[in-house]
Amino acid sequence: MKLLAYSDTGNGDALVWLHPFPFSGAIYHRQREIEGVRHIVPDLRGFGGSELAAADHSIGAHATDVVQLLDHLGVENAVFGGVSMGGYVVMEILRQTRARVRGIVLADTRETADTDEARNSRVKLIERVEQEGSAALVDAMFPKMLAPDSYADAALTAAVRSLMLETPPSSAAAALRAMAARPDSTETLRDSDVPALILVGAEDAITPRTDAERMQRMMRRAQLHVIEDAGHLAMLERPEAFNEHVRKFVRDLQ
Ligand code: MLT
């Protein structure tokens, strides 16, 4: 696998941001405003500027790609932050390589594997994406992405839609298959002593607050904050509140 495309901005301890589906690292443009931190933001394979490798498309492969990028950059350890699918990759990195993880930010995500029902709807979405292209992603996912009031923000909705449309159908299908096959991370979180910041939009309709509360209960060192007036993309909908929690968390780790 070629090295992932990435951005590397700011100075300080490394904070690696792993993006949700079906987006790219560009979705974290507001988080890069957090000062005193080195933001490393890859595009996971198949997304943004990163090519889709033919073989082994799995959440484990995403994690390996990210660790390979950190090796290339000479970054020993980092805080890993992930929204939704990015969170699945964070949990996989924790499982694969705990020694490199200083802390984790899990936002609008969950530790459980897909239910049979979720897998079936991924299969249907793959079929649609293969027939209709990336517009099918917008059609199926956009109505659930944001808190109801966020849909009034024309600039926000345009940015979200256009990032979704940029995802090539083949990459979307591969990532949907990878998410459907991902393992349950309950034991990984339960056994871990890593400091964790858990964030969730109060109106997240995809990975609701109950998921965040469950993750907090199972972890030894997790704090949870609910972001008001935000849905599944809390980091874009309420970047100030989101960033403030991250800034404090990272500062307290130093
Ligand atoms: C995401 O936002 O990354 C996806 O909704 C995650 C998923 O489909 O499980």
Side-chain angles (χ1 to χ4, degrees):
M1 174 71 194
K2 264 176 63 184
L3 210 58
L4 297 176
Y6 66 97
S7 72
D8 185 357
T9 55
N11 294 300
D13 290 332
L15 173 49
V16 181
W17 288 109
L18 303 175
H19 62 80
F21 174 87
F23 299 98
S24 68
I27 201 155
Y28 287 119
H29 70 279
R30 295 297 309 268
Q31 279 58 58
R32 287 195 287 248
E33 294 169 6
I34 301 172
E35 291 181 356
V37 178
R38 177 179 178 186
H39 298 272
I40 299 170
V41 191
D43 294 332
L44 296 173
R45 60 168 72 187
F47 298 91
S50 294
E51 69 182 32
L52 179 66
D56 188 18
H57 198 105
S58 62
I59 294 296
H62 283 312
T64 305
D65 293 343
V66 173
V67 171
Q68 191 185 348
L69 172 63
L70 296 187
D71 288 343
H72 166 79
L73 295 172
V75 173
E76 264 313 271
N77 57 44
V79 175
F80 292 84
V83 169
S84 204
M85 178 179 76
Y88 307 157
V89 182
V90 169
M91 290 180 248
E92 184 62 37
I93 290 171
L94 187 60
R95 185 159 40 239
Q96 280 186 19
T97 173
R98 165 70 183 93
R100 300 186 79 149
V101 184
R102 294 182 57 238
I104 59 177
V105 181
L106 296 175
D108 298 288
T109 191
R110 60 161 65 96
E111 82 293 7
T112 49
D114 272 5
T115 58
D116 288 343
E117 192 189 346
R119 283 198 191 101
N120 289 340
S121 47
R122 293 209 201 270
V123 170
K124 288 199 188 101
L125 185 54
I126 290 168
E127 283 167 8
R128 280 195 64 191
V129 168
E130 286 175 344
Q131 281 162 16
E132 301 164 36
S134 302
L137 296 173
V138 177
D139 195 48
M141 297 185 71
F142 181 69
K144 287 193 231 152
M145 279 282 167
L146 307 173
D149 287 352
S150 297
Y151 287 97
D153 182 337
L156 174 71
T157 56
V160 171
R161 291 173 76 101
S162 101
L163 279 174
M164 292 175 103
L165 286 170
E166 275 169 27
T167 298
S170 51
S171 301
L176 285 163
R177 285 192 193 97
M179 288 192 286
R182 76 187 188 279
D184 185 287
S185 292
T186 302
E187 293 307 319
T188 306
L189 295 192
R190 196 171 274 152
D191 293 346
S192 178
D193 58 354
V194 74
L197 170 66
I198 300 175
L199 299 172
V200 63
E203 297 166 64
D204 186 341
I206 297 179
T207 44
R209 184 178 177 151
T210 45
D211 287 336
E213 289 168 348
R214 190 182 56 245
M215 289 193 292
Q216 189 213 3
R217 279 197 303 273
M218 72 177 59
M219 294 195 75
R220 277 178 252 166
R221 298 175 67 192
Q223 48 175 298
L224 165 66
H225 300 279
V226 177
I227 315 276
E228 296 303 328
D229 305 315
H232 190 58
L233 299 181
M235 81 299 201
L236 263 189
E237 298 173 73
R238 294 284 167 255
E240 293 83 7
F242 188 99
N243 287 1
E244 188 53 20
H245 290 301
V246 174
R247 201 185 55 72
K248 281 197 195 125
F249 177 69
V250 172
R251 183 200 59 200
D252 292 348
L253 286 178
Q254 282 165 355

